[in-house]
Amino acid sequence: MGDDNRVTRRRVGDAEARTANRRWWDADADAYQAEHGSFLGDVDFVWCPEGLREADARLLGDVTGRQVLEVGCGAASCARWLATQGARPVAVDLSAGMLRHAAQASARSGVRVPLAQADALALPFADETFDTACTAFGAVPFVEDSAALMHQVHRVLRPGGRWVFSVTHPMRWIFLDDPGEGGLTAVHSYFDTRPYVELDEHGRASYVEQHRTLGDRVRELVDAGFRLLDLVEPEWPEGHEGIWGQWSPLRGRLFPGTAIFVTEKPTG
């Protein structure tokens, strides 16, 4: 995590986090897409900065004919890719700015999916509506009550449905957000789960990202009723020289940057 006089670690309630992150992503949507849009593609499912694609990993299983919910979809490239695989996706995000880019990418690509502005803690769908749910770095790290998010996803999934999500690997919170050698020294406690908070000029939260340990995540999932099938820690691939924030070849070849939780809502 970064060090700056407008950066802190403190508890932030759901209302403050929601307001801060909605404003942040609305304001940052253009810059984010300009920087990362080509890597993510208009119609592609990239799980993480390491470049692992669903086309290769198949963590969701066969999606043909399945109703899929992408939570925290951003520009919804994953949902559009799923549509090309025969799925029936719906994509939701809190940010109107990101959904604007989703609509533009749909128009460019000709692959259109239903979009909705929604809070991941209050998914506007009936119980057992979807066969699969997923997100690549969306929603989960940005809500204070991520345990409640797990319950929401469990509610809208049908029995036997998969919930697969990627987040920053929890061990990365030990280090500064530095892709270079400065990011190789442990400076924070892994067990300090206070969120990373950026402040505006008035001292209000303008960006909030939450940290949970691996154990925290497993407990959230089990408490919500999920069964953990796999925990994928993508290795940094040979020949990938790109840098995305704190992700870099230097760090990626030494320790994981992403954790992908593959879970299932049991039948019966």
Side-chain angles (χ1 to χ4, degrees), residues 26-212:
D26 283 349
D28 193 58
D30 292 350
Y32 182 88
Q33 286 303 118
E35 183 175 0
H36 303 300
S38 60
F39 181 83
L40 296 173
D42 278 349
V43 186
D44 202 358
F45 197 137
V46 183
W47 278 110
C48 52
E50 289 87 349
L52 181 67
R53 284 172 161 76
E54 176 61 12
D56 301 314
R58 296 294 177 181
L59 302 180
L60 300 180
D62 184 4
V63 297
T64 306
R66 296 177 74 82
Q67 291 183 290
V68 182
L69 175 64
E70 184 181 6
V71 183
C73 66
S77 59
C78 298
R80 285 188 296 277
W81 181 85
L82 288 165
T84 69
Q85 305 303 300
R88 293 177 288 163
V90 175
V92 302
D93 200 280
L94 183 65
S95 167
M98 294 304 293
L99 290 172
R100 173 170 50 82
H101 280 278
Q104 292 171 354
S106 290
R108 282 195 305 270
S109 66
V111 181
R112 300 183 181 276
V113 299
L115 303 172
Q117 185 173 16
D119 185 345
L121 295 179
L123 294 172
F125 305 105
D127 296 357
E128 300 186 3
T129 297
F130 296 96
D131 302 298
T132 306
C134 61
T135 186
F137 280 79
V140 176
F142 302 110
V143 298
E144 191 278 331
D145 194 352
S146 48
L149 186 155
M150 303 303 170
H151 280 275
Q152 277 289 298
V153 174
H154 188 275
R155 178 183 65 79
V156 302
L157 270 182
R158 297 184 179 112
R162 283 197 176 189
W163 163 227
V164 184
F165 62 93
S166 60
V167 292
T168 300
H169 197 289
M171 75 166 290
R172 283 288 176 107
W173 283 75
I174 300 170
F175 307 99
L176 298 178
D177 278 352
D178 183 343
E181 292 188 2
L184 300 181
T185 303
V187 296
H188 298 296
S189 169
Y190 173 77
F191 302 102
D192 181 1
T193 57
R194 292 175 301 166
Y196 168 87
V197 183
E198 295 184 7
L199 306 172
D200 64 19
E201 62 273 20
H202 304 293
R204 297 174 301 202
S206 60
Y207 176 88
V208 181
E209 188 168 346
Q210 304 285 341
H211 167 47
R212 301 289 183 271

